[in-house]
Amino acid sequence: MERTTSIQIGQVVRSKTGRDKDRVFLVSEILDLHYVMLIDGDLRRLANPKKKKIKHLVVYQTVLKEFQERLDSDIKINNAYLRRLLAPYNEHKENR
């Protein structure tokens, strides 16, 4: 996948390259056809999202609707909430 046309806010992705290789993130913003902003509540917090090219990501089919709804309705989101949302995906990674 080289373009962001099929990416949604709240989509779960995994980094393929860089210092954050194999980390699981949520897409918090779509910047253009090639770049997205990523957060995980740990290494990349809400205040400091990571700009990353889509070609450097493995895109999972999972979209966390709860995250999207909170963003749309301006309900406060914190880093602990993000870590809790991504915990099942990180547990899966640890069991490999």
Side-chain angles (χ1 to χ4, degrees), residues 32-70:
D32 59 24
L33 284 177
H34 303 287
Y35 287 96
V36 293
M37 298 299 280
L38 303 175
I39 52 177
D40 68 352
D42 186 28
L43 180 68
R44 289 300 173 171
R45 296 175 171 252
L46 286 165
N48 187 26
K50 170 73 176 173
K51 181 180 176 183
K52 193 134 182 135
K53 280 189 174 180
I54 194 71
K55 72 179 184 179
H56 295 155
L57 299 172
V58 174
V59 178
Y60 294 118
Q61 296 300 315
T62 306
V63 178
L64 300 179
K65 298 289 182 187
E66 183 182 339
F67 177 74
Q68 281 181 329
E69 291 169 4
R70 281 185 172 232

Side-chain angles (χ1 to χ4, degrees), residues 11-13 15 20-28 37-50 67 77-87 90 93:
Q11 189 130 19
V12 179
V13 297
S15 174
D20 55 6
K21 182 179 178 181
D22 292 331
R23 289 187 73 102
V24 178
F25 296 95
L26 276 179
V27 175
S28 65
M37 298 299 280
L38 303 175
I39 52 177
D40 68 352
D42 186 28
L43 180 68
R44 289 300 173 171
R45 296 175 171 252
L46 286 165
N48 187 26
K50 170 73 176 173
F67 177 74
I77 298 171
N78 60 26
N79 291 307
Y81 172 73
L82 294 173
R83 289 191 300 270
R84 190 171 50 245
L85 281 178
L86 292 174
N90 287 323
K93 181 181 78 177

